[in-house]
Each structure stands twice: as C-alpha cells, then as structure tokens.
Amino acid sequence: MSQLDVKRFTFMQMMELDACTRCGECVTWCPTFTEKAELDAITPLRKIETVRGFVNQQYGLRAHIFGPRPIDQNALQTHSTGTYDCTLCGRCAVVCPVHIDTRSMWIAMREMLVDQGTYPEAMDHLRETFSAHHNISGDENAERLIWSQNLPEIPEGVGGKKQAEVVYFVGCVSSFYPQSYGIPQSVVQILEQGGVDYLTLGGEEQCCGFPLIIAGMGDAAVESVRHNVEAVRKTGAKRLIASCPSCYHTWKDEYPHILGEPLGFSVLHSTELLEELVGAGKLKFKPLEETITYHDPCDLGRTSGIYDAPRNVIRAIPGVNFVEMKDHHEYSLCCGGGGDVEMADKELSAAVGASRIAQAKETEAKYLLSACQQCTRTLAGAARKNKVRVRVLDVTQLVARQLEK
Amino acid sequence: MDDKTAEAAFWIGHLPLMILFLVGLWLVFANWLRGSVDGRKDASTGQKLGALLRVVLGTIFSTRLWLLIKAFVVETWFNRRLYRNSFWRWLNHFLLLSGVMLLFSLSGISALSDKVLIHFFHLEHVPWIGMWVQPDHPITALLNEIGAVLMTVGLIFFIVRRYFTRPDQLRTGPLDTWMVVGVGLILLSGWIAEIVRLNSHDVAPATAGFAFVGWYVLAPLFRGLPLPWDELAHWMYVIHGILTSVVIITIPFSKFMHAIAGALVLMVRDVEESEKGAAHVTA
C-alpha cells in the first residue's frame, strides 16, 4: 500500500486523464496489445483509467470527505507491467479522438512508477550502466569510435578535428553494437562525398539520455545532457546531425527543455541532411533496379514529424521502385524495438517485430529500409527469425552503396 | 400546481444542485492544478493559477482567439479526428453533441431572456427576446425539437454499439452505463414533458406543429387518455428540470467530464499545432 504523488504530471496531462472518452480506438491500434491480448493493462485506455482511479482514490470527492485510500500495490504492479510493456510508439496519439499526447503521458506514468519504486529491475541495471559508463552497453566509453576501424581510411572528421561546422552524434547503438557499425561508416562516407565539414566527439560523446528519459529516470541523465551540450558548443558547430531518431528527438526537443535554454545550434536527422545534399546535387547515385519499402521509425515519424525526407532520398536513387507497406507514415506499425520493451519483455518486442516484417513481406520488396539503427537491428532480427527474405538496411547504408564516386 | 409553483419548485431544486455541480467542477480543477504548469513542479497553486490565467487572457485578447474558435468548431464539434477513424462513430458523436449543445444553448438563452432581459429590463416586447420564453414560438419549438431528435438518434446509436454490436475495442463499465442512463433520463423525461404539454390547454395549436415529432407523432398516441394534462404538464416541467440538474451534478465525476476536458484538450492542441505549423500529431 502506498500514497501517490502526481507531481510528475503536467496540468495538461491531469486534464487529459479526464478527457479520455473510453472509446477504445487506441486499443485497436496498439501493437503490443495485439501481441499480448491477455494483458489489458497495456491498453492506453486502461492505463489512463487506472491512473485516474489512483488520482481519485487520493484526491477525489470521496477522499475529500472520508480521507484518501492508499494505492493497492498489486494494482500498481499490474499498471507498471502494462506501462513498461509499451513501445512508446505513439500510434494511440494519432487515432485518439480527443488528441491526448499519449507518449508523453506514458513517460510521466513511468516517472511516477519510478517514484513509487514499482518498475522492472532491468531499468535499474540500465541506470547503473549509464551512470558508470555513460552509455547503454557498458563498454568503455572511450571506445566509441571502434566502428571506424573497418573504414579503408579514417577520415579527419572522425576523432581528429576539434572545430567543424557539423557535429555527427553517433549514438550508443551505432557505436557499440557491431551489427550497426555499418550506419556510422556509411554516414561518414556520405559526409565526405558531400564535402561536409564535420567531426565526431569520440569518447567525449555520452549517451543522449533517451533510454533513461523514457524509462522514467530522466533525472539521472541531466549530467550527461549538460556534458554533451558543452562538448558540442566547444566545437563551434552550427549544426548537429544524428542518425538515430531517438538521439535526434532528445537533442531537438528534450535538451532545450531540460536545460531551460536554446542549444545555440540546429539539430538535424541524417536523412534531412541527405535530402539537402541530394537537392544541392552533391550526391549522385548509381541506378538500382529493385523494389524498396520504408519503415517509419516512431521517433522520427510520429514523434518528430519527419516522413518525407527519407522517402525523397530513396526515390532519388534511379531505377528504384518504391512501395509502401500496409501501415505507413503516422499509422506506421512499430518495429517492437522502442520504449525499452526489449529490456522489459524480449518476446513481446520480437512478436511486434514479426508483425512488421510480415507487412514488409507482403510488399515483395527486396530491401526494407529504415532510418534508425534500432529499427534496422530489430527488423533484421525479425527477418532472420521468421525466415523472410528481405535485406534490412538503414537509408544511409543504401545511399552509401549507391554513391557514384 | 400552477405555473408559479412549478417554477418555484424547479428553482428550489435546481439552484442547490448547480452549486454542488460547481463544487464538483472545482474539485476536478483543483486536481488538474496538482500537475505542473510551465514545467514548474514546485510552484504554489496561486502561482499555477496566475500562469494559467495569463495564458487564458493572452489567448482571449489576441488573434489566437480566432484559432481557438476555429479549433472548437473543427476539432471539438465536427471532431475530424473521429471522422478519420470511423464515419458511423463520428455521426453518432456528432448527433449527440450537436443535440446537447443546441438544447443547452436554448436553455441558457431562455433563462437569460426570462430572468434577466425580461425580468429586469422588461424587454418582452422585443420579438427576438420574447420568443425564447414561448415554447410554441415556431423558432423555439423547431430548434428544441431538432435538438431532442439529434440527441435521441445519437443515444440510440450509442446504445446499439455499446450493448448490442459490442466491438472488441470497447471496455464497457459503470461509467459508460451511467452516461446512457443519465442522457436517457433527460431525454425520456423531456419527451414525456413535451407530450404532456402538447396535450394540455397551454399549447397554441396554430404553431405547435413546429414541435414536429411531439405534435404529429407522440402526443396523438396519448391524447385520448383521461389524464389531467394541465396539472401533469407542470409536474413534468419540474421533474424534467430536476432530473437534468441531477445528471449535471454528476458531470465532474463521470464520463460526462470528457465533454469539458476533451474539448479543452482538443482546442489547446489545435492552437499549439496551428502556431508551430506542425505536420506531426504529438505535442
């Protein structure tokens, strides 16, 4: 039994708890509930109803007359399971008839659950790893440029320069997970070809804090946020690019909010810069006579509103037959790799990935592209596991392959 | 019971219930204020109220007011997000909401005309004021009838979907059932009051037909019954009014609250997005 503090919610979110009409539209679109229908606590409708119930137990009419009732620990535990089994894909926000900003709501709920001490143990491990190593893998942070060792020649921008126009923020997954090394390798190859004055931060780069923020442990990321911003400011860069949509969103939307001030430089996703370079005629492509489909990463599409840039880049490759999957743009299905669900429930994450890979299979595309190292990794795993013959790549990887030297 | 007694009985019941309704609304609003405003988690309630007031006044007394009005019409009334999801659900919601808004507005205008403009300023001779207190005035009768029909059809849609077709996505509970019962009570007592009034001697037959469903369909079904229609008309006026007030006091503590909170959320989001020209949907 415990008391509940709602300080993690905003005024608007408290209002949103009462705005939910219980229409259930979100239930139809929830990718995790589709795969785990026995757990009703996952559904957006139920999460909101549960917290509204908690709030009423503590501060409702009856509480004012007879005193607050403590929160039942079992109910809190069930709510925690449902909340941490959510990929934070935000599809429920797209279809919600009263436009509840569900993704922010789920993060606030996770913060509340952390305050209550009712959250998956894996999140504690994440926080400890982050604090000790400043990254999510637990590797030595100074090894962040290990992916560059396979490049035929290490460019000056990688670990050499101290000042540049553009900082390329590589991100933890691309830096430490070998199956994602191809993404930063491709990005730097493209930057070189495009004549961009860039640098990487190497060991000075720390995790952007996104995994902790969405785990409801954002307070533990503040120090790294300040460190990262300071490191970029020292370079005098006017732009920061990220090939990871979650890093991109965190830098662009969360950092100014956490710091309480503007960054002083602009933040772009790698596909935005690619679109710019293609438009300026700085990148030319060899033709590719293949059918290609594109998976919208949740943090790039629904969270950040970037749908066209990656598609425009893919369509710029001559010969490409571009096809959409059944669910695309703001209705895109999650890959299953978001929301730290992989840490909380690996099987659920894989099941969502399997559904998405099935949609890719329906298109008969030879290439399934995404613009996110986590989506690419999750979808490649789903393709392998479900024996679907499709090549899963990041947009930057295909672009680098098709570059005309 | 005569006219004056019926009206006195209505107000004696209605006013305390409306005070309870306002207390309930304040309790809900006080809960909302437990959330942070402007990212300040430790601000006092007074500071939060001040910050909110600045935003509200800054919106009302600026060009954003037009954005807000547009948001109310497009997002709240003609809920286009719901339309994108399902035409039939949209129609259901649109009928119910339009009916409620129309009848609520007519009640408000009628009370304003009667209790302020006529009572204090004696403006009953002004046609556009006097007509709101005459139930048989063609415009008043027609608008009230349209509102009631819209609400009734909307409620029937709602009941069929919630309790008969029951799509998997629905989680029907006491909150949903109370909404049906509450709206049902208002409508049922309203239609009975209408039938009784149209069968009483108070009605003006020349214009009563503007209440088209009541006059041509419902009232004739019962006209032959040997009932004291005049007396019943007064009783039903009081019963319908008090029942409506009882349902209203449950608004802050029931699913009805989404009508207020949902409308506010939709308007705020739409204004935010209009201002930043966002192509995406999250705030």
Side-chain angles (χ1 to χ4, degrees):
Chain A
M1 298 285 200
S2 61
Q3 299 295 316
L4 184 85
D5 193 339
V6 292
K7 67 177 182 213
R8 296 295 189 169
F9 294 91
T10 64
F11 176 86
M12 189 73 177
Q13 285 168 334
M14 293 300 286
M15 194 156 76
E16 285 174 328
L17 292 176
D18 285 319
C20 175
T21 67
R22 303 167 38 80
C23 70
E25 188 65 32
C26 49
V27 175
T28 313
W29 294 86
C30 177
T32 47
F33 179 67
T34 303
E35 306 301 336
K36 202 172 180 178
E38 72 278 10
L39 186 61
D40 210 45
I42 295 181
T43 63
L45 179 157
R46 199 61 87 197
K47 283 187 285 212
I48 287 179
E49 186 181 62
T50 303
V51 172
R52 187 167 50 201
F54 290 160
V55 171
N56 283 335
Q57 281 179 31
Q58 300 284 299
Y59 311 109
L61 178 65
R62 204 152 39 162
H64 278 280
I65 299 169
F66 301 109
R69 282 174 294 161
I71 304 300
D72 184 310
Q73 205 57 43
N74 290 333
L76 201 61
Q77 184 55 55
T78 307
H79 175 63
S80 172
T81 307
T83 304
Y84 280 96
D85 269 358
C86 166
T87 62
L88 298 177
C89 75
R91 209 149 76 131
C92 41
V94 174
V95 298
C96 175
V98 287
H99 207 165
I100 294 173
D101 179 8
T102 50
R103 186 180 174 280
S104 302
M105 176 75 86
W106 311 147
I107 294 172
M109 285 183 185
R110 288 179 176 195
E111 288 174 352
M112 178 197 81
L113 287 163
V114 170
D115 289 344
Q116 295 291 314
T118 312
Y119 56 93
E121 270 178 40
M123 302 302 146
D124 271 336
H125 178 67
L126 170 71
R127 181 162 52 186
E128 283 157 19
T129 307
F130 181 97
S131 301
H133 303 278
H134 305 302
N135 60 59
I136 59 164
S137 68
D139 287 292
E140 187 58 50
N141 204 49
E143 301 294 317
R144 271 195 178 260
L145 295 175
I146 196 162
W147 52 269
S148 64
Q149 301 304 312
N150 290 344
L151 290 170
E153 189 183 328
I154 296 180
E156 195 196 348
V158 181
K161 282 187 190 171
K162 298 287 175 214
Q163 300 271 308
E165 288 282 308
V166 174
V167 167
Y168 171 37
F169 191 84
V170 181
C172 294
V173 175
S174 291
S175 297
F176 295 115
Y177 292 82
Q179 62 267 54
S180 301
Y181 287 173
I183 296 172
Q185 288 167 353
S186 301
V187 172
V188 297
Q189 197 183 330
I190 295 164
L191 293 175
E192 292 289 326
Q193 178 101 358
V196 178
D197 174 26
Y198 74 96
L199 60 79
T200 55
L201 297 173
E204 279 301 294
E205 179 179 316
Q206 295 188 0
C207 173
C208 68
F210 176 83
L212 280 184
I213 292 170
I214 63 166
M217 299 170 164
D219 297 346
V222 175
E223 202 183 310
S224 285
V225 170
R226 294 191 194 287
H227 169 90
N228 281 332
V229 172
E230 197 48 43
V232 175
R233 281 176 178 164
K234 272 186 199 163
T235 68
K238 293 186 174 63
R239 298 172 123 185
L240 176 139
I241 64 158
S243 45
C244 164
S246 305
C247 296
Y248 165 75
H249 155 69
T250 307
W251 272 94
K252 194 176 172 71
D253 301 320
E254 303 287 352
Y255 275 25
H257 179 70
I258 293 168
L259 295 175
E261 62 185 39
L263 295 174
F265 48 86
S266 59
V267 179
L268 282 89
H269 184 255
S270 53
T271 54
E272 290 181 294
L273 184 70
L274 279 179
E275 188 185 33
E276 203 178 291
L277 293 173
V278 169
K282 291 183 176 173
L283 302 178
K284 301 283 181 206
F285 302 118
K286 294 178 280 192
L288 180 68
E289 305 285 338
E290 295 291 358
T291 300
I292 293 178
T293 190
Y294 172 72
H295 164 81
D296 289 282
C298 302
D299 282 324
L300 191 62
R302 279 185 288 266
T303 308
S304 306
I306 296 176
Y307 298 104
D308 294 336
R311 287 177 169 80
N312 291 340
V313 172
I314 296 166
R315 287 193 175 107
I317 301 172
V320 162
N321 172 34
F322 182 77
V323 291
E324 294 284 7
M325 281 183 270
K326 179 173 162 254
D327 296 321
H328 55 88
H329 286 79
E330 65 265 45
Y331 295 99
S332 180
L333 186 62
C334 178
C335 71
D340 294 340
V341 171
E342 221 179 347
M343 287 181 237
D345 190 338
K346 232 180 178 64
E347 281 180 24
L348 178 60
S349 169
V352 176
S355 292
R356 187 53 165 165
I357 211 73
Q359 289 193 347
K361 189 182 174 187
E362 282 170 15
T363 65
E364 297 182 352
K366 185 167 180 188
Y367 289 91
L368 164 59
L369 300 191
S370 190
C372 167
Q373 73 301 319
Q374 178 70 353
C375 295
T376 308
R377 198 173 65 79
T378 315
L379 291 170
R384 257 195 318 276
K385 199 171 173 186
N386 296 280
K387 299 185 173 47
V388 175
R389 290 180 62 82
V390 62
R391 298 196 69 179
V392 185
L393 293 174
D394 190 89
V395 173
T396 52
Q397 289 176 289
L398 187 74
V399 164
R401 284 180 192 194
Q402 295 307 119
L403 277 179
E404 216 164 53
K405 308 282 179 191
Chain B
M1 190 187 282
D2 59 13
D3 273 358
K4 282 197 184 318
T5 315
E7 196 171 346
F10 166 72
W11 285 105
I12 287 167
H14 179 68
L15 284 177
L17 290 171
M18 286 307 96
I19 291 169
L20 282 179
F21 166 64
L22 292 177
V23 170
L25 266 191
W26 171 253
L27 282 177
V28 171
F29 186 69
N31 270 350
W32 295 354
L33 278 174
R34 292 180 195 280
S36 62
V37 176
D38 277 347
R40 296 164 64 192
K41 288 189 169 66
D42 299 319
S44 67
T45 305
Q47 287 170 323
K48 290 177 190 175
L49 271 174
L52 283 172
L53 207 60
R54 276 194 295 279
V55 173
V56 171
L57 293 178
T59 302
I60 291 173
F61 297 104
S62 72
T63 50
R64 295 165 98 198
L65 180 63
W66 296 111
L67 289 176
L68 206 64
I69 293 169
K70 183 187 135 251
F72 175 75
V73 174
V74 176
E75 297 295 340
T76 303
W77 185 12
F78 281 81
N79 196 319
R80 59 179 171 181
R81 295 174 67 84
L82 187 54
Y83 183 82
R84 282 201 291 265
N85 292 343
S86 156
F87 170 76
W88 289 107
R89 280 185 50 215
W90 172 83
L91 184 65
N92 169 3
H93 185 263
F94 180 75
L95 292 173
L96 207 46
L97 179 62
S98 299
V100 169
M101 287 200 316
L102 182 55
L103 292 180
F104 181 77
S105 304
L106 288 170
S107 297
I109 292 168
S110 167
L112 178 73
S113 304
D114 190 16
K115 301 300 166 208
V116 180
L117 301 176
I118 293 175
H119 187 78
F120 290 112
F121 301 102
H122 309 292
L123 294 173
E124 57 270 32
H125 58 280
V126 179
W128 279 93
I129 294 174
M131 71 182 214
W132 300 115
V133 294
Q134 300 167 37
D136 287 332
H137 187 282
I139 294 175
T140 313
L142 185 66
L143 290 178
N144 270 298
E145 200 74 347
I146 290 171
V149 169
L150 292 179
M151 260 184 92
T152 306
V153 176
L155 183 66
I156 291 168
F157 265 114
F158 187 93
I159 291 170
V160 168
R161 185 163 179 273
R162 274 273 165 193
Y163 300 97
F164 294 97
T165 60
R166 297 162 84 166
D168 287 344
Q169 71 196 61
L170 292 180
R171 305 286 187 274
T172 302
L175 287 175
D176 308 287
T177 302
W178 169 244
M179 189 157 178
V180 173
V181 171
V183 175
L185 281 174
I186 293 174
L187 278 172
L188 186 67
S189 62
W191 282 118
I192 294 174
E194 172 87 333
I195 291 165
V196 170
R197 189 186 67 79
L198 290 171
N199 282 334
S200 75
H201 288 103
D202 285 345
V203 75
T207 52
F210 283 93
F212 52 94
V213 177
W215 182 251
Y216 293 111
V217 182
L218 299 176
L221 292 175
F222 304 95
R223 199 164 285 153
L225 294 175
L227 293 170
W229 296 110
D230 293 354
E231 179 72 5
L232 278 179
H234 291 129
W235 276 105
M236 282 314 300
Y237 166 79
V238 177
I239 290 170
H240 174 60
I242 299 296
L243 269 179
T244 305
S245 309
V246 167
V247 175
I248 288 174
I249 62 166
T250 69
I251 287 175
F253 314 108
S254 67
K255 181 177 162 171
F256 286 118
M257 192 60 204
H258 88 267
I260 297 172
L264 289 171
V265 170
L266 277 166
M267 287 194 286
V268 171
R269 290 265 182 273
D270 194 58
V271 170
E272 279 175 356
E273 290 197 352
S274 299
E275 289 192 331
K276 68 181 180 189
H280 61 290
V281 294
T282 52

